[in-house]
Amino acid sequence: MALPAQLKGIQHHLRTAQEHEKRDPVVAYYCRLFAMQTGMKLDSKTPECRKFLVKLMDQLESMKKELGDNDSISQEVVGNAHIENYALKMFLYADNEDRGGRFHKNMIKSFYTASLLVDVLSVFGELSEENIQHRKYARWKATYIHNCLKNGETPQAGPIGMDQDEEADEFGAEGFSGLGPAHGGSFRGGGSSQSFGDPDQSLDPGLGFTPGPGSGPPTTNYNNIHIPPGAHAPANTPAELPPPADGVHLSPEDFTKAQKYCKYAGSALQYEDVGTAVQNLQKALKLLTTGKE
């Protein structure tokens, strides 16, 4: 069923869901959930939109039944960790390629997809300021590098333009569908040999970002953009943890946070990212033994 014009704002999230249908059904599910929730706000009254959204709801129900045994679907905190970790991995891959001066269509795609997945995190609650900044930077970088390559120019590597007064727009990235899906791939320890998708994926030169006014680089100092400790680093020796304090009372929220850190650690180990796993386990242990983060 064709996407109604009124729901154009969710087309890229739906496309991301389709691309991850087999590679990562959890990502596909939450992308569609975000699209459905956003679509309801955009237009749930006109017949064509209502029909489209009902079909999307049915698809979500079907996926939920099929993936019912998956903790990332049955437990929100686990699902949140899964999407956030996946978005971070895509961001780090693109950021490593960018800082290394390796500009290609695949890294542009990864920057932009990371920004879309940050959008998706809003299904779990309000976005953190850190996530908002990551999204803004990723979208601007995707736009900047895409336009440079399209115009035959060599992009400047890494964070740039910090002295400019203009802010980057939250680009709608019209026509970004020219970037084909990234298939397969993995992140291995944060090195430059990482791959995520097919580097030969074609880019339709007629389809690119259409930045709005004020589309210069962000003013935020992204040279110091915060990446969770250990994301680029090798494994660290765990810090000494204090013994459990007498009378430590953990709230349900504390247990939820500890679960989240453990899930982050598990996801990091799937990518053989030992440093990130250790850091998150340290956070969980500190919280459980002291009641403080």
Side-chain angles (χ1 to χ4, degrees):
M1 182 177 176
L3 181 71
Q6 301 94 313
L7 302 180
K8 199 173 181 181
I10 61 175
Q11 63 178 333
H12 301 293
H13 302 89
L14 289 174
R15 183 174 295 110
T16 300
Q18 188 175 5
E19 292 168 1
H20 288 79
E21 194 80 60
K22 294 182 179 178
R23 180 164 39 132
D24 194 321
V26 172
V27 170
Y29 174 81
Y30 283 112
C31 282
R32 289 194 176 109
L33 181 60
F34 172 83
M36 189 269 290
Q37 292 179 353
T38 305
M40 293 289 287
K41 296 174 186 176
L42 292 173
D43 189 340
S44 62
K45 295 182 179 180
T46 56
E48 64 270 27
C49 291
R50 181 182 291 273
K51 186 176 180 181
F52 184 90
L53 291 171
V54 167
K55 184 177 180 182
L56 186 55
M57 287 180 196
D58 290 342
Q59 190 175 18
L60 281 166
E61 281 301 312
S62 177
M63 290 186 74
K64 194 170 185 178
K65 288 179 182 177
E66 187 178 338
L67 300 171
D69 294 336
N70 191 314
D71 288 345
S72 294
I73 301 298
S74 60
Q75 299 180 44
E76 274 199 5
V77 65
V78 181
N80 188 358
H82 184 102
I83 300 300
E84 192 166 13
N85 187 70
Y86 195 94
L88 176 63
K89 291 299 177 181
M90 295 204 82
F91 180 91
L92 289 179
Y93 162 70
D95 189 53
N96 283 341
E97 293 295 281
D98 175 38
R99 291 171 189 262
R102 296 177 291 276
F103 307 110
H104 49 84
K105 304 170 188 91
N106 225 31
M107 61 95 76
I108 299 171
K109 176 74 172 182
S110 291
F111 262 137
Y112 188 62
T113 301
S115 78
L116 294 177
L117 292 177
V118 174
D119 289 340
V120 172
L121 286 172
S122 65
V123 305
F124 303 105
E126 189 175 349
L127 295 178
S128 68
E129 183 60 30
E130 181 183 358
N131 280 330
I132 291 171
Q133 292 300 320
H134 272 80
R135 176 176 64 183
K136 192 173 189 177
Y137 180 70
R139 285 192 183 168
W140 168 69
K141 260 297 180 180
T143 306
Y144 166 71
I145 297 170
H146 173 74
N147 287 339
C148 283
L149 296 183
K150 182 180 177 182
N151 297 327
E153 301 169 2
T154 301
Q156 187 171 333
I160 61 172
M162 300 309 154
D163 295 330
Q164 297 194 26
D165 295 329
E166 294 179 309
E167 288 273 345
D169 285 347
E170 295 294 338
F171 299 120
E174 290 304 319
F176 197 75
S177 55
L179 282 173
H183 299 286
S186 60
F187 292 88
R188 302 297 180 192
S192 61
S193 62
Q194 299 167 359
S195 65
F196 204 105
D198 177 7
D200 296 325
Q201 192 71 36
S202 62
L203 173 66
D204 182 346
L207 297 173
F209 281 110
T210 308
S215 57
T219 55
T220 306
N221 182 3
Y222 286 106
N223 283 301
N224 297 316
I225 191 166
H226 174 67
I227 301 296
H232 288 290
N236 299 311
T237 303
E240 291 244 349
L241 289 168
D246 291 334
V248 170
H249 296 289
L250 300 175
S251 68
E253 185 181 3
D254 290 331
F255 284 110
T256 298
K257 287 181 180 178
Q259 274 188 313
K260 188 174 180 179
Y261 287 135
C262 290
K263 174 61 180 176
Y264 283 150
S267 297
L269 289 175
Q270 289 181 347
Y271 295 100
E272 299 181 7
D273 187 350
V274 178
T276 300
V278 169
Q279 292 291 337
N280 280 288
L281 289 172
Q282 286 176 340
K283 289 179 182 179
L285 285 170
K286 182 180 179 182
L287 178 60
L288 293 172
T289 54
T290 67
K292 299 178 183 179
E293 291 190 79

